[in-house]
Each structure stands twice: as structure tokens, then as C-alpha cells.
Amino acid sequence: MDRTQATSVAAEDPWSYENGMPTLPGAEGRALLLYDGTCGLCDRSVQFVLRRDPAGRFRFAALQSEPARRLVAELGLDPDQVDSVILVDEHGVAARESTAALRVAARLGWPWRAFAAALVLPRALRDPVYRFIAKRRFRWFGQVDACRLPKPEERERFVA
């Protein structure tokens, strides 16, 4: 699917660029996880992934950062309307919502990769659960005013 077909956050299929996938400096050749930098759940999720990815396969960027906003726009989405996690893998294939979360889990090793079995379920079943949690994330997990400063050994994993 080309990016012109993926103009809506609600589009059903993951999108990718076959040629010339935009990347952010520091994320080349690595999976890039775009997350809501003001969300307490998202912040905890990034910390969770950091602890379980000692090989450094993931890079991270807050959706509010200018480079991430440009990348989201290049993916054919409105940066002001995206409030879902987005995973752009090292091959340029992008996914969002439950698909992104489950693909991240698949790369974390046992027992977390077991959650990836849910990818066999249609998005029409998975995404409503994702959206139910996402809609309540600020109430349940709060908001953060500022991102935690990464430890020195983590700094290279954050793209700004």
C-alpha cells in the first residue's frame, strides 16, 4: 500500500514506503517507536521496552517532537490527529494501535512475545480494546509534564 492510501489514522491496513522510507537521524536500520510523550502509560511502556531490549533494537521518539511530527506527516497522517503508538520497523513497515503494540511485544522475548499470538485476531477485534484503554489512559495513568531524562547508556536510543 502506498502512503497516499493511508491518509486516515483509522485506516485499516498498516502502511509503508516501498522506496525511500523516511527515517529520523539516529534511527536508521532500527525499529522506531513513536509514542505520546505526555502520556503516563506511554512513558511507562517505553521504560518497559528499554529494560527488556538490552540489544538496543528499538529507538524512540515522542510524537510531539518536531522530527516525529515530520515523519508522521510523511507517512500521510496529520500529526495533530495521531495519538496512537506507531512502530516503524527497520524495513520501513509502519503499524499503529494494537498491531504496533503487539509487534513490539513480539520482539521482546519470552514471555512477552506470547502476546503476539493475538495478531491472528482481526484488527476489528483488537483495536477496540486498544482504543478503550487509550481513551482512559490519562485518567488511569496520568500525564507527564516532561519526559524522564534517559540514562547515559540510553541517550542514543532517543531520537529528538
Side-chain angles (χ1 to χ4, degrees):
M1 169 180 277
D2 72 24
R3 72 183 182 124
T4 60
Q5 293 175 306
T7 58
S8 168
V9 174
E12 283 300 314
D13 295 320
W15 10 256
S16 68
Y17 283 121
E18 296 298 321
N19 301 307
M21 176 62 198
T23 60
L24 299 182
E28 300 89 350
R30 309 269 175 113
L32 176 63
L33 187 62
L34 304 176
Y35 65 96
D36 182 348
T38 66
C39 167
L41 174 60
C42 299
D43 180 63
R44 291 177 193 172
S45 297
V46 167
Q47 304 314 314
F48 180 88
V49 172
L50 276 169
R51 287 191 304 275
R52 286 156 185 83
D53 179 33
R57 293 175 301 221
F58 289 98
R59 295 292 184 259
F60 307 91
L63 285 165
Q64 293 79 8
S65 70
E66 192 54 39
R69 290 176 59 80
R70 281 196 310 267
L71 178 58
V72 168
E74 288 183 40
L75 289 169
L77 301 171
D78 180 351
D80 294 323
Q81 298 299 314
V82 174
D83 65 352
S84 169
V85 65
I86 298 174
L87 175 67
V88 181
D89 74 14
E90 60 276 1
H91 305 291
V93 177
R96 63 193 173 283
E97 295 185 331
S98 67
T99 303
L102 293 170
R103 286 183 182 171
V104 169
R107 294 167 178 244
L108 293 181
W110 189 256
W112 313 111
R113 83 171 28 154
F115 288 102
L119 285 166
V120 300
L121 298 172
R123 285 186 63 196
L125 295 176
R126 291 185 278 117
D127 282 350
V129 174
Y130 178 95
R131 289 181 197 125
F132 177 83
I133 295 167
K135 189 174 186 177
R136 294 157 179 81
R137 71 187 191 271
F138 294 127
R139 188 171 4 143
W140 292 349
F141 298 96
Q143 287 185 274
V144 292
D145 294 332
C147 295
R148 173 186 73 87
L149 288 176
K151 298 175 186 172
E153 63 272 14
E154 298 170 341
R155 283 193 187 124
E156 71 165 8
R157 303 207 33 213
F158 288 84
V159 180

